[in-house]
Amino acid sequence: MARRALITGITGQDGSYLAEHLLREGYDVWGLVRGQANPRVTRVRRLLEDIRFVGGDLLDQGSLISAVEKVQPDEVYNLGAISFVPLSWEQAELTAEVTGMGVLRVLEAIRVCSGISSSRSPKSGQIRFYQASSSEMFGQVRESPQTERTPFHPRSPYGVAKTYGHFLTQNYRESYGMFAVSGILFNHESPRRGAEFVTRKVSLGVARIKLGLASELRLGNLDARRDWGYAGDYVRAMHLMVAADRPDDYVIGTGRTHSVRELVAAAFEAVGLDWERYVVFDQSLRRPAEVDLLCADPKEAKARLGWEPSVSFEDLVAMMVESDIALLSGKTLRSESDAEAVWP
Ligand code: NAP
Ligand code: G4F
């Protein structure tokens, strides 16, 4: 029988790529969806007809228990979150509830539905759990590159909430013998990335400027450095962690770091334009506390999971710019929210 996966955050960037990957691997894929007539569900449904959906919200314990009871999954991937770092200062309590406490609620739903009681009682047909941890937990980094052993120093309410979810996942593994793993994923991007994140904001901005729809691109901190990879590669790593012989946490990234300035230069260069003529620094886009440098050391993932990224930074940037030029010219979309509503 096909293995069955339940994915929270199915309407997000990673949810769609993971669903695609698992469908290719022969899985029966279910997505947890929240709200009434969530328009993003239509977007996923158009792309991936074979997914089934179940209602539920990370804020609602009962709904998660019902979803796990109904779907009877072999694997649960918890990708749902408030994931945009600046929003986590504006809605810190909601971020703690969704991004942090949401992890507890999913783990409890699995524990209750699996009949695991207070003591450690590992079972053979147990549900495997994946938690979407983040390199934001490293925050003000203590060393570079960052490994599975680098201490955490989160710099945003989002990073703090993710750190809670990360340690809780470890704790459920240690307390109950659950097959629970966390992927400490560095930034990963794609043409399906939300328009609020810097890579997509830049690729959409460059496309609009190239097509004569805009004359400038406003950005915040150009000095911050990130380890950017391709989302399609990173969902493979999630699946490998869940399919491994024993549960463990892994750092997933490329091992290369670039500044936002280098990202911008590469994106403008892809269409033959000089970025310095168009980019405007906007102080209001700076954050209360910044993560200045992220760079992964993915050695463990390579050695133990056989995982490696396949798309370079340069190819990723070119892929996103090309996709947004096609999107904006083909469909004459003009705003970020229009572009957000469609996936290439
Ligand atoms: P994303 O595109 O922002 O997607 C977030 C998902 O969370 C959406 O499907 C959203 O669904 C769902 N969600 C929000 N609130 C919810 C709630 N109350 N109940 C249930 N679902 C809810 O994020 P992503 O880039 O795909 O990232 C996936 C996960 O990996 C996130 O947990 C993120 O924090 C983490 N992560 C991402 C990166 C990265 O670089 N992309 C790196 C490290 C970790 P709606 O349609 O209902 O809003
Ligand atoms: O693209 P970003 O918003 O991503 P950030 O904050 O690194 O978070 C992303 O990656 C995390 C993994 O490390 C995930 F956990 C998280 O969910 C999310 O997916 O910003 C990247 C950098 C920041 O340093 C920011 O200050 O770009 C800088 N930046 C400069 N100007 C900007 C802008 N970021 C955004 N979003 N918009 C700007 O105009």
Side-chain angles (χ1 to χ4, degrees):
M1 252 207 350
R3 281 184 75 74
R4 185 171 296 163
L6 172 61
I7 303 174
T8 77
I10 190 85
T11 57
Q13 170 188 259
D14 291 8
S16 72
Y17 281 105
L18 178 64
E20 234 164 29
H21 178 70
L22 294 178
L23 286 170
R24 273 196 303 269
E25 296 283 313
Y27 274 67
D28 177 14
V29 178
W30 286 73
L32 183 93
V33 293
R34 67 172 175 139
Q36 272 177 249
N38 181 340
R40 296 203 274 197
V41 177
T42 314
R43 188 175 64 172
V44 183
R45 208 193 296 271
R46 266 200 218 112
L47 192 73
L48 302 164
E49 286 169 356
D50 295 333
I51 303 178
R52 285 187 277 178
F53 297 98
V54 60
D57 195 306
L58 290 169
L59 296 173
D60 183 339
Q61 180 72 76
S63 74
L64 297 173
I65 294 174
S66 301
V68 172
E69 259 171 2
K70 177 173 177 182
V71 174
Q72 299 278 314
D74 299 297
E75 299 168 12
V76 174
Y77 294 83
N78 183 37
L79 310 186
I82 287 181
S83 74
F84 187 45
V85 173
L87 184 62
S88 77
W89 278 283
E90 287 168 26
Q91 299 183 12
E93 188 179 343
L94 186 66
T95 303
E97 282 292 341
V98 178
T99 306
M101 289 291 286
V103 185
L104 173 66
R105 296 190 187 100
V106 178
L107 284 165
E108 277 295 282
I110 293 172
R111 188 183 69 77
V112 168
C113 294
S114 310
I116 299 172
S117 62
S118 55
S119 62
R120 203 181 145 84
S121 53
K123 299 200 163 179
S124 49
Q126 64 178 303
I127 300 172
R128 294 186 170 208
F129 173 76
Y130 173 85
Q131 168 57 18
S133 285
S134 166
S135 51
E136 272 287 305
M137 300 185 305
F138 295 122
Q140 192 158 302
V141 298
R142 308 276 176 87
E143 60 182 10
S144 206
Q146 294 85 52
T147 73
E148 288 78 4
R149 286 160 298 285
T150 301
F152 298 142
H153 182 151
R155 295 272 283 167
S156 62
Y158 167 83
V160 173
K162 280 286 177 191
T163 306
Y164 170 78
H166 182 81
F167 282 129
L168 196 74
T169 302
Q170 278 184 357
N171 180 259
Y172 270 53
R173 184 163 77 217
E174 291 167 10
S175 304
Y176 301 118
M178 280 172 63
F179 194 108
V181 301
S182 286
I184 306 175
L185 269 52
F186 284 62
N187 300 48
H188 45 280
E189 319 292 320
S190 75
R192 296 182 205 161
R193 184 61 142 151
E196 64 274 40
F197 299 95
V198 76
T199 51
R200 187 80 196 287
K201 183 173 175 183
V202 168
S203 64
L204 277 167
V206 167
R208 270 199 295 274
I209 290 169
K210 183 67 181 174
L211 296 172
L213 302 171
S215 56
E216 65 173 34
L217 174 60
R218 303 186 79 80
L219 292 171
N221 183 7
L222 298 182
D223 295 320
R225 300 185 73 85
R226 291 288 183 277
D227 179 333
W228 280 293
Y230 171 56
D233 284 335
Y234 288 50
V235 300
R236 272 195 293 116
M238 296 176 191
H239 181 225
L240 286 169
M241 277 178 236
V242 170
D245 291 340
R246 63 184 180 85
D248 213 339
D249 307 325
Y250 292 91
V251 156
I252 302 294
T254 69
R256 289 179 64 202
T257 182
H258 294 275
S259 66
V260 175
R261 185 176 286 100
E262 287 163 359
L263 162 74
V264 168
F268 277 91
E269 199 181 307
V271 295
L273 295 176
D274 173 10
W275 71 273
E276 290 186 89
R277 291 182 52 205
Y278 302 99
V279 171
V280 176
F281 171 69
D282 185 337
Q283 176 68 27
S284 71
L285 294 168
R286 286 188 78 101
R287 300 175 178 187
E290 180 61 280
V291 171
D292 295 320
L293 165 68
L294 290 174
C295 183
D297 177 350
K299 269 204 254 358
E300 291 274 314
K302 183 174 181 192
R304 294 176 51 204
L305 302 173
W307 180 84
E308 275 186 285
S310 72
V311 178
S312 69
F313 170 76
E314 293 75 15
D315 288 349
L316 173 65
V317 174
M319 175 206 300
M320 291 180 70
V321 170
E322 203 175 296
S323 165
D324 278 329
I325 288 179
L327 192 66
L328 294 186
S329 48
K331 304 205 190 299
T332 56
L333 305 175
R334 271 152 208 271
S335 70
E336 285 175 4
S337 55
D338 281 349
E340 255 287 80
V342 182
W343 272 341

